Amino acid sequence: MALIALALVTLSVAHPARVATGAAQVSGNGPSFSCSSATTATEKTICADPKLRALDRQMAQLFALAQQGAFSTGTSNQLPAQRTALQEMRACAAAGAAQPLAVCLREHYVVRNQELAIAVLIKAPTTALPVLRAGDPAFAPILEAVQLWSEAPMDANWSAPERAQGRDRIAALLQPYLTSLQTNADQSFGSSILSDPGTDGVAVRKIDDLFHSERHFAAFLNVLGPYLNEPKLSRMPRNLPCAAIVRHPKLLDATGPVFGSTMDNFVLSNDCSASLPPLPSLDALVTKLNARWPECQGTIRYAAYRTFSRAVDQARLGFAPVAKTWSLPARKGVTKADTATVQADLTAYYVANIHQTPSAAATMARNALLGILQNAHACD
């Protein structure tokens, strides 16, 4: 499919042929569209406000970069998210809106640009980091640390001299979070989780422990979400970039359940559904499973939801573990035709995007689908 530039807010979703100038052509002080043809209140408000013009140019640049998927080949699934963002921006001008038009637009731009900056962080850190620091200062150091970690090869030797600069920067970025965990009584639960090596032998008691392994780094990130200062805007995403997870698969563990309580609802997420190539049949399956999920009692249910989401992410990434059975469990609202479609689409997806043979891809698809169904509709 040809790329459609949807960065400017004037785009009509019903008429996708309207094309913006594109990131490479966005320059000067104007937005990504021509103000000489502005007709709507939204367009005129953007053209009259230097901050909105700059945010629109920024969104155009970031969206153009985010078109490529996190596998570094093929397209991402950012188009639906961009359409949704544009619809929400246009709604700012609706009669009876809760905020002044310029304020509403500014907030939507900031949130959407944050999403896009996370998506392109690994590819274009010098472009993304200023956006992230301005949009969510409490989260930006974590993202920068993840970006630096992703520059190293998987299971890198962080004691090697060539890693010294990156190691020192990561340590400086993350030390304040570890100090807060260890000194703030309200964060003692997270500190106790990190201090106990448990059955997997992973413990983080000092900042140098992060560099023992990928598992140590992921375990540290895993507890941070609930303890971060609130962002200025409630809808601000706290996602890890999927491109970093593609490079370092253990980082997916940082998005799984760890607290066994409501706090699991605030563990960091990722942007794989938007940053990887589209999988509409998988999205439809997830929607059906969520719609028929039994009502769960107790706060432990958040761990079940997280585990299910992680299984879906494993399917998108091609990370699903080898299954011990080939029998797919039945789930309410899901037909055999649904699962057959998802399995076929995942097989083709793995062939196209991670270069598996058809036979290996078919096995991976079955494993992924089994993991999703096994973890769906669980309450504990």
Side-chain angles (χ1 to χ4, degrees), residues 23-301:
Q25 300 173 5
V26 175
S27 60
N29 296 320
S32 67
F33 59 94
S34 174
C35 285
S36 63
S37 59
T39 57
T40 68
T42 297
E43 295 167 356
K44 292 177 180 178
T45 299
I46 294 168
C47 289
D49 188 321
K51 290 183 179 179
L52 291 178
R53 295 198 302 265
L55 287 168
D56 188 78
R57 292 195 304 273
Q58 187 179 79
M59 186 168 73
Q61 180 186 28
L62 292 168
F63 181 67
L65 289 170
Q67 294 278 3
Q68 186 181 59
F71 287 133
S72 297
T73 58
T75 61
S76 70
N77 194 32
Q78 289 289 348
L79 188 57
Q82 187 73 357
R83 283 177 168 155
T84 298
L86 298 175
Q87 287 176 322
E88 291 173 348
M89 289 180 186
R90 287 195 294 274
C92 289
Q99 295 174 302
L101 179 53
V103 174
C104 182
L105 287 171
R106 192 173 299 118
E107 290 189 1
H108 281 287
Y109 269 122
V110 169
V111 170
R112 180 57 182 153
N113 288 358
Q114 182 82 0
E115 292 172 344
L116 291 168
I118 290 172
V120 307
L121 173 62
I122 306 306
K123 178 197 302 184
T126 57
T127 299
L129 284 171
V131 179
L132 299 171
R133 290 166 183 153
D136 192 354
F139 188 41
I142 295 171
L143 289 170
E144 183 178 349
V146 170
Q147 180 266 319
L148 291 169
W149 189 278
S150 74
E151 287 185 348
M154 191 164 55
D155 296 320
N157 175 11
W158 283 97
S159 62
E162 64 269 21
R163 301 274 170 241
Q165 185 175 0
R167 177 186 174 121
D168 289 347
R169 179 61 178 162
I170 291 170
L173 288 164
L174 297 183
Q175 180 64 67
Y177 298 97
L178 181 59
T179 299
S180 184
L181 284 166
Q182 294 175 335
T183 60
N184 188 331
D186 293 335
Q187 300 182 18
S188 60
F189 188 21
S191 181
S192 66
I193 291 172
L194 283 175
S195 298
D196 183 2
T199 57
D200 60 1
V202 173
V204 178
R205 301 189 181 98
K206 57 185 184 301
I207 203 68
D208 285 347
D209 292 340
L210 295 181
F211 303 98
H212 288 333
S213 72
E214 305 265 351
R215 293 187 303 149
H216 286 76
F217 186 66
F220 180 69
L221 298 178
N222 200 196
V223 305
L224 292 184
Y227 300 120
L228 296 178
N229 292 336
E230 290 290 327
K232 294 178 181 179
L233 299 177
S234 60
R235 296 181 295 109
M236 192 67 76
R238 292 273 171 85
N239 295 328
L240 297 179
C242 193
I245 299 173
V246 170
R247 294 186 183 190
H248 294 267
K250 272 295 175 183
L251 288 179
L252 185 61
D253 292 347
T255 67
V258 65
F259 293 100
S261 70
T262 310
M263 295 174 72
D264 281 322
N265 200 39
F266 301 96
V267 167
L268 301 178
S269 298
N270 64 67
D271 68 345
C272 289
S273 63
S275 288
L276 291 176
L279 268 171
S281 63
L282 178 60
D283 294 337
L285 175 65
V286 171
T287 297
K288 287 187 175 185
L289 289 168
N290 283 331
R292 300 297 296 271
W293 203 294
E295 185 174 353
C296 299
Q297 303 298 320
T299 57
I300 192 66
R301 67 186 185 274

